[in-house]
Amino acid sequence: MLRYTLMRLGIFVGCLVVVWGLVYSGIAPRGLGDSNGLWIVLLALVISAPISFVVLRKERDRASVQVARRVDRMKANIEANRSQEDVADDAARAQGQTS
C-alpha cells in the first residue's frame, strides 16, 4: 500500500508541476483573485485522478491481493484462537463432570 500511495502522490506532484507551468505561462486560465493556488491544486487533482486510475491499475490490484491475504490470515488466527478456547472449555467441563 505504501508503494501505491507514493506512486499516486508522484503522479499528483507531476500534474501539479505541469498545471502550475500552464497557468503561469498563460495557457490555462488563472484562478479568481487570491484563489490561484487553490485553483492549481484542484485542477491537478482532477487531472491526476483518472491518470492514477489507469496507470496504477496493476499496482492497485497487487495491493488489494496483499490486503485480502492479510485479512484471511487474521481471520484464520481468530478462528484458531476460538477453537483453542473451545477445547479448553470442553476440557474444563469434562473435569467438572467427573469430579
Side-chain angles (χ1 to χ4, degrees):
M1 285 302 291
L2 179 64
R3 182 178 173 182
Y4 172 76
T5 302
L6 291 174
M7 292 171 79
R8 181 133 189 215
L9 185 63
I11 290 173
F12 169 72
V13 169
C15 288
L16 187 67
V17 169
V18 169
V19 168
W20 179 81
L22 291 174
V23 167
Y24 280 100
S25 67
I27 296 173
R30 289 181 171 264
L32 297 175
D34 293 333
S35 68
N36 198 39
L38 183 62
W39 167 251
I40 292 172
V41 170
L42 288 176
L43 196 55
L45 280 171
V46 168
I47 292 171
S48 69
I51 292 172
S52 295
F53 184 75
V54 173
V55 173
L56 299 179
R57 179 172 288 149
K58 289 182 183 178
E59 191 61 38
R60 191 174 49 252
D61 290 343
R62 262 189 243 135
S64 172
V65 167
Q66 288 177 352
V67 169
R69 282 184 191 155
R70 211 173 276 151
V71 168
D72 290 341
R73 189 172 57 230
M74 291 175 87
K75 284 181 182 178
N77 288 341
I78 289 171
E79 189 58 38
N81 288 340
R82 272 195 198 135
S83 65
Q84 288 176 352
E85 289 174 2
D86 290 345
V87 169
D89 188 43
D90 291 344
R93 287 182 188 193
Q95 275 186 344
Q97 289 175 356
T98 58
S99 299

